[in-house]
mmCIF file of all heavy atoms in Angstrom:
data_model
loop_
_atom_site.group_PDB
_atom_site.id
_atom_site.type_symbol
_atom_site.label_atom_id
_atom_site.label_comp_id
_atom_site.label_asym_id
_atom_site.label_seq_id
_atom_site.Cartn_x
_atom_site.Cartn_y
_atom_site.Cartn_z
ATOM 1 N N SER A 1521 127.694 175.039 60.297
ATOM 2 C CA SER A 1521 127.460 174.618 58.889
ATOM 3 C C SER A 1521 126.634 175.571 58.147
ATOM 4 O O SER A 1521 126.991 175.934 57.010
ATOM 5 C CB SER A 1521 126.881 173.244 58.787
ATOM 6 O OG SER A 1521 127.685 172.177 59.354
ATOM 7 N N LEU A 1522 125.619 176.102 58.683
ATOM 8 C CA LEU A 1522 124.827 177.012 58.159
ATOM 9 C C LEU A 1522 125.466 178.439 57.858
ATOM 10 O O LEU A 1522 125.470 179.084 56.820
ATOM 11 C CB LEU A 1522 123.406 177.206 58.880
ATOM 12 C CG LEU A 1522 122.375 176.135 58.816
ATOM 13 C CD1 LEU A 1522 121.393 176.346 59.942
ATOM 14 C CD2 LEU A 1522 121.815 176.016 57.526
ATOM 15 N N ALA A 1523 126.239 178.768 58.854
ATOM 16 C CA ALA A 1523 127.072 180.087 58.660
ATOM 17 C C ALA A 1523 128.045 179.923 57.568
ATOM 18 O O ALA A 1523 128.141 180.821 56.795
ATOM 19 C CB ALA A 1523 127.732 180.370 60.081
ATOM 20 N N LYS A 1524 128.681 178.737 57.451
ATOM 21 C CA LYS A 1524 129.532 178.623 56.392
ATOM 22 C C LYS A 1524 128.785 178.495 54.985
ATOM 23 O O LYS A 1524 129.220 179.181 54.013
ATOM 24 C CB LYS A 1524 130.312 177.297 56.547
ATOM 25 C CG LYS A 1524 131.232 176.950 55.436
ATOM 26 C CD LYS A 1524 132.159 175.643 55.970
ATOM 27 C CE LYS A 1524 133.211 175.407 54.822
ATOM 28 N NZ LYS A 1524 133.891 174.158 55.151
ATOM 29 N N TYR A 1525 127.598 177.893 54.958
ATOM 30 C CA TYR A 1525 126.797 177.808 53.792
ATOM 31 C C TYR A 1525 126.332 179.300 53.305
ATOM 32 O O TYR A 1525 126.497 179.547 52.198
ATOM 33 C CB TYR A 1525 125.626 176.987 54.015
ATOM 34 C CG TYR A 1525 124.518 176.978 52.912
ATOM 35 C CD1 TYR A 1525 124.641 176.062 51.878
ATOM 36 C CD2 TYR A 1525 123.514 177.928 52.872
ATOM 37 C CE1 TYR A 1525 123.766 176.008 50.788
ATOM 38 C CE2 TYR A 1525 122.583 177.964 51.830
ATOM 39 C CZ TYR A 1525 122.710 176.935 50.788
ATOM 40 O OH TYR A 1525 121.896 177.023 49.787
ATOM 41 N N PHE A 1526 126.064 180.128 54.271
ATOM 42 C CA PHE A 1526 125.730 181.558 53.830
ATOM 43 C C PHE A 1526 126.854 182.482 53.837
ATOM 44 O O PHE A 1526 126.577 183.588 53.700
ATOM 45 C CB PHE A 1526 124.672 181.947 54.889
ATOM 46 C CG PHE A 1526 123.207 181.380 54.742
ATOM 47 C CD1 PHE A 1526 122.775 180.396 55.586
ATOM 48 C CD2 PHE A 1526 122.452 181.674 53.651
ATOM 49 C CE1 PHE A 1526 121.514 179.686 55.428
ATOM 50 C CE2 PHE A 1526 121.133 181.081 53.487
ATOM 51 C CZ PHE A 1526 120.752 180.141 54.361
ATOM 52 N N ARG A 1527 128.033 181.934 54.169
ATOM 53 C CA ARG A 1527 129.245 182.724 54.115
ATOM 54 C C ARG A 1527 129.163 183.987 55.017
ATOM 55 O O ARG A 1527 129.489 185.075 54.581
ATOM 56 C CB ARG A 1527 129.556 183.115 52.604
ATOM 57 C CG ARG A 1527 129.787 182.079 51.760
ATOM 58 C CD ARG A 1527 130.176 182.484 50.444
ATOM 59 N NE ARG A 1527 130.468 181.370 49.612
ATOM 60 C CZ ARG A 1527 130.248 181.143 48.276
ATOM 61 N NH1 ARG A 1527 129.519 182.238 47.642
ATOM 62 N NH2 ARG A 1527 130.449 180.146 47.565
ATOM 63 N N LEU A 1528 128.713 183.729 56.262
ATOM 64 C CA LEU A 1528 128.566 184.827 57.250
ATOM 65 C C LEU A 1528 129.877 185.103 57.891
ATOM 66 O O LEU A 1528 130.729 184.272 58.198
ATOM 67 C CB LEU A 1528 127.713 184.395 58.262
ATOM 68 C CG LEU A 1528 126.151 184.120 57.922
ATOM 69 C CD1 LEU A 1528 125.286 183.773 59.095
ATOM 70 C CD2 LEU A 1528 125.598 185.381 57.160
ATOM 71 N N THR A 1529 130.213 186.465 58.034
ATOM 72 C CA THR A 1529 131.394 186.800 58.748
ATOM 73 C C THR A 1529 131.163 186.686 60.238
ATOM 74 O O THR A 1529 130.159 186.488 60.771
ATOM 75 C CB THR A 1529 131.710 188.265 58.540
ATOM 76 O OG1 THR A 1529 130.681 189.108 59.080
ATOM 77 C CG2 THR A 1529 131.679 188.542 56.944
ATOM 78 N N GLU A 1530 132.352 186.659 60.993
ATOM 79 C CA GLU A 1530 132.231 186.568 62.458
ATOM 80 C C GLU A 1530 131.503 187.810 63.020
ATOM 81 O O GLU A 1530 130.616 187.645 63.957
ATOM 82 C CB GLU A 1530 133.613 186.553 63.050
ATOM 83 C CG GLU A 1530 134.352 185.187 63.019
ATOM 84 C CD GLU A 1530 133.492 184.102 63.575
ATOM 85 O OE1 GLU A 1530 132.946 184.277 64.706
ATOM 86 O OE2 GLU A 1530 133.340 183.047 62.993
ATOM 87 N N GLU A 1531 131.499 188.983 62.398
ATOM 88 C CA GLU A 1531 130.787 190.136 62.774
ATOM 89 C C GLU A 1531 129.188 189.887 62.674
ATOM 90 O O GLU A 1531 128.454 190.212 63.463
ATOM 91 C CB GLU A 1531 131.256 191.281 61.871
ATOM 92 C CG GLU A 1531 130.494 192.632 62.377
ATOM 93 C CD GLU A 1531 130.883 193.869 61.496
ATOM 94 O OE1 GLU A 1531 131.972 193.714 60.854
ATOM 95 O OE2 GLU A 1531 130.123 194.753 61.503
ATOM 96 N N GLU A 1532 128.938 189.294 61.503
ATOM 97 C CA GLU A 1532 127.491 188.951 61.224
ATOM 98 C C GLU A 1532 126.951 187.929 62.317
ATOM 99 O O GLU A 1532 125.781 187.976 62.804
ATOM 100 C CB GLU A 1532 127.180 188.474 59.852
ATOM 101 C CG GLU A 1532 127.463 189.543 58.894
ATOM 102 C CD GLU A 1532 127.408 189.043 57.386
ATOM 103 O OE1 GLU A 1532 128.058 187.940 57.103
ATOM 104 O OE2 GLU A 1532 126.870 189.772 56.513
ATOM 105 N N ARG A 1533 127.776 186.932 62.590
ATOM 106 C CA ARG A 1533 127.412 185.825 63.526
ATOM 107 C C ARG A 1533 127.233 186.407 65.006
ATOM 108 O O ARG A 1533 126.532 185.877 65.791
ATOM 109 C CB ARG A 1533 128.459 184.662 63.508
ATOM 110 C CG ARG A 1533 128.212 183.868 62.236
ATOM 111 C CD ARG A 1533 129.046 182.644 62.301
ATOM 112 N NE ARG A 1533 128.354 181.714 63.250
ATOM 113 C CZ ARG A 1533 128.813 180.584 63.519
ATOM 114 N NH1 ARG A 1533 129.923 180.062 63.020
ATOM 115 N NH2 ARG A 1533 127.965 179.735 64.438
ATOM 116 N N SER A 1534 128.072 187.469 65.234
ATOM 117 C CA SER A 1534 128.062 188.056 66.596
ATOM 118 C C SER A 1534 126.939 189.079 66.846
ATOM 119 O O SER A 1534 126.778 189.500 67.856
ATOM 120 C CB SER A 1534 129.442 188.735 66.847
ATOM 121 O OG SER A 1534 130.411 187.685 66.753
ATOM 122 N N LYS A 1535 126.280 189.571 65.773
ATOM 123 C CA LYS A 1535 125.319 190.583 65.860
ATOM 124 C C LYS A 1535 124.243 190.080 66.683
ATOM 125 O O LYS A 1535 123.619 189.108 66.582
ATOM 126 C CB LYS A 1535 124.740 191.076 64.434
ATOM 127 C CG LYS A 1535 123.817 192.123 64.497
ATOM 128 C CD LYS A 1535 123.463 192.557 63.052
ATOM 129 C CE LYS A 1535 122.478 193.803 63.237
ATOM 130 N NZ LYS A 1535 122.051 194.199 61.807
ATOM 131 N N LEU A 1536 123.771 191.038 67.687
ATOM 132 C CA LEU A 1536 122.674 190.692 68.653
ATOM 133 C C LEU A 1536 121.478 191.352 68.212
ATOM 134 O O LEU A 1536 121.369 192.340 67.489
ATOM 135 C CB LEU A 1536 123.190 191.315 69.962
ATOM 136 C CG LEU A 1536 124.443 190.767 70.607
ATOM 137 C CD1 LEU A 1536 124.712 191.482 71.892
ATOM 138 C CD2 LEU A 1536 124.356 189.161 70.810
ATOM 139 N N LEU A 1537 120.357 190.771 68.585
ATOM 140 C CA LEU A 1537 119.041 191.279 68.451
ATOM 141 C C LEU A 1537 118.959 192.564 69.227
ATOM 142 O O LEU A 1537 119.551 192.658 70.296
ATOM 143 C CB LEU A 1537 117.995 190.294 68.892
ATOM 144 C CG LEU A 1537 117.811 189.039 68.089
ATOM 145 C CD1 LEU A 1537 116.838 188.109 68.863
ATOM 146 C CD2 LEU A 1537 117.231 189.296 66.613
ATOM 147 N N SER A 1538 118.164 193.496 68.852
ATOM 148 C CA SER A 1538 117.976 194.725 69.681
ATOM 149 C C SER A 1538 117.202 194.315 70.821
ATOM 150 O O SER A 1538 116.311 193.510 70.853
ATOM 151 C CB SER A 1538 117.274 195.713 68.741
ATOM 152 O OG SER A 1538 116.028 195.300 68.440
#
Side-chain angles (χ1 to χ4, degrees):
S1521 294
L1522 288 167
K1524 187 175 180 179
Y1525 176 85
F1526 288 106
R1527 297 182 178 143
L1528 297 179
T1529 64
E1530 283 303 315
E1531 183 179 339
E1532 289 170 323
R1533 288 194 72 182
S1534 299
K1535 186 175 180 178
L1536 300 177
L1537 291 169
S1538 60

